[in-house]
Amino acid sequence: MADVGSATLFRADPAARYGSIDALVRSRVNIKLINDSWDDLLRVTGSLLTGAVKASELFRYFAGGGTPTPIGRALMELGKLDRSTYLASYYDDELLRRRVNTQLNRQESRHTLARKIFHGQKGELRQKYKEGQEDQLGALGFMTNVCILWNTVYTARALEEMRAEGKKISAADIVRLSPLGFEHFNMLGRYSFSLPELVRDGQLRPLRTPPPAG
């Protein structure tokens, strides 16, 4: 995670010592403020879980007039505690760090695909009104999902064909496959929206068979 090595952790016990990461634990969590607002925090949690209130509406409640309310400050203190607990686990658990890194790589791969699709206007939103920007972002998300779905469907088809040919496929290799590749997509040029008869009938396009090596 970016800048995780310089992140500030918060301590609940002022006398506690945390060994090699003690220098990172530079501030304290206000436990009293959390305890005093605990019942309100539980009500907020229940309201979110039941859908009785939207998160966007709660932001106005937490920071009325730009100044955090008492429950808003309590929520901030609780967030410090939760963040510190998670980061401590992140520092200590190599497997967790690997999982986080894998997820970050996947997310960055999706952003890379989206940037490749959104090549017009240098990838910038040029609409000056909210609805126009939402339309552009919606179209970008739709096309990104189309590419991901196409890759997923045809990757599964290729695996099925390889198995039908008697080839053994390692599960470890399948885990490394990603539906976020785009080298085979033509992002520029002319677009044709007429479907071949095969596709109109609900069938998949035939796979390309690579020429034999040598």
Side-chain angles (χ1 to χ4, degrees):
M1 292 188 294
D3 302 324
V4 68
S6 59
T8 298
L9 280 75
F10 300 83
R11 67 176 73 235
D13 181 359
R17 292 294 176 265
Y18 302 100
S20 59
I21 65 170
D22 196 63
L24 295 176
V25 191
R26 296 188 289 266
S27 300
R28 289 181 56 188
V29 175
N30 190 335
I31 298 296
K32 183 178 184 305
L33 186 56
I34 297 175
N35 289 335
D36 292 345
S37 302
W38 187 248
D39 290 342
D40 289 332
L41 290 172
L42 290 179
R43 280 192 285 271
V44 167
T45 303
S47 298
L48 284 172
L49 289 175
T50 59
V53 64
K54 296 180 179 179
S56 57
E57 296 171 349
L58 284 176
F59 280 114
R60 292 193 293 270
Y61 174 59
F62 292 149
T67 301
T69 60
I71 187 174
R73 293 198 301 271
L75 189 63
M76 292 168 62
E77 295 299 314
L78 187 62
K80 294 176 183 178
L81 189 62
D82 183 68
R83 171 182 170 82
S84 299
T85 302
Y86 177 79
L87 284 177
S89 299
Y90 180 85
Y91 293 141
D92 184 63
D93 189 340
E94 181 180 357
L95 182 59
L96 174 60
R97 293 197 299 273
R98 290 180 180 274
R99 290 203 303 267
V100 170
N101 188 58
T102 298
Q103 188 60 38
L104 289 174
N105 288 341
R106 288 174 179 168
Q107 190 66 26
E108 182 54 36
S109 295
R110 191 183 189 282
H111 291 330
T112 302
L113 171 60
R115 285 193 294 268
K116 189 70 175 179
I117 295 171
F118 194 15
H119 54 77
Q121 302 288 0
K122 299 180 181 179
E124 299 174 356
L125 291 174
R126 298 295 181 90
Q127 299 291 350
K128 296 181 180 180
Y129 53 96
K130 177 181 177 183
E131 290 77 9
Q133 293 179 355
E134 290 176 343
D135 289 343
Q136 284 186 296
L137 288 173
L140 175 60
F142 175 75
M143 288 307 304
T144 302
N145 289 334
V146 166
C147 293
I148 293 172
L149 177 61
W150 195 97
N151 283 337
T152 301
V153 170
Y154 279 93
T155 298
R157 172 75 182 280
L159 291 173
E160 291 172 0
E161 189 165 304
M162 292 172 67
R163 291 191 181 100
E165 294 173 354
K167 297 178 180 178
K168 293 184 178 180
I169 306 172
S170 170
D173 291 335
I174 294 178
V175 169
R176 292 185 175 88
L177 295 175
S178 172
L180 297 167
F182 53 81
E183 293 81 3
H184 51 292
F185 289 134
N186 179 25
M187 304 295 181
L188 300 172
R190 296 180 179 272
Y191 297 91
S192 174
F193 296 95
S194 59
L195 294 178
E197 184 177 348
L198 187 73
V199 178
R200 287 202 304 270
D201 291 340
Q203 302 180 55
L204 297 177
R205 297 173 183 269
L207 297 175
R208 295 179 181 176
T209 303

